């Protein structure tokens, strides 16, 4: 019997979060998931990832909590710079 595919967020939960804990507003796993999905649909910049994610927020919330909404393009840039 085939097993169910692993949710993409599960791939990221074991990563160490390099950000300052008291400044974090978005889950590392969810932020990386949004970024990967954006890239898979053709986003080339952090601005494009943010724009795509805002447009698809209702769909993304079917799979992710995103309690503070979509991270800003600056948040994506800072995270990937770390």
């Amino acid at each position: 019997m085939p097993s169910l595919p692993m949710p993409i967020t599960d791939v990221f939960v074991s990563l160490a979060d390099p950000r300052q804990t008291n400044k974090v507003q978005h889950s590392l796993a969810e932020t990386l998931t949004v970024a990967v999905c954006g890239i898979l649909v053709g986003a080339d910049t952090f601005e494009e990832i943010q724009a795509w994610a805002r447009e698809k927020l209702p769909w993304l919330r079917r799979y992710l909590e995103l309690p503070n909404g979509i991270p800003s393009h600056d948040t994506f840039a800072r995270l990937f710079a770390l």
Side-chain angles (χ1 to χ4, degrees):
M1 217 168 149
S3 62
L4 293 174
M6 179 189 320
I8 192 169
T9 53
D10 287 359
V11 174
F12 300 122
V13 293
S14 64
L15 294 177
D17 194 339
R19 302 172 295 172
Q20 295 178 18
T21 307
N22 60 334
K23 295 182 179 181
V24 172
Q25 293 183 8
H26 303 280
S27 151
L28 177 64
E30 288 193 347
T31 302
L32 293 174
T33 299
V34 170
V36 167
C37 290
I39 291 165
L40 288 174
V41 299
D44 292 322
T45 66
F46 298 125
E47 290 86 357
E48 289 176 357
I49 293 169
Q50 178 188 4
W52 171 81
R54 283 188 174 167
E55 182 180 314
K56 299 298 184 183
L57 182 58
W59 178 81
L60 287 166
R61 281 206 166 129
R62 291 174 50 196
Y63 306 99
L64 305 171
E65 292 181 20
L66 300 168
N68 294 311
I70 298 300
S72 71
H73 65 276
D74 290 325
T75 298
F76 286 114
R78 283 190 302 271
L79 176 62
F80 280 89
L82 292 171

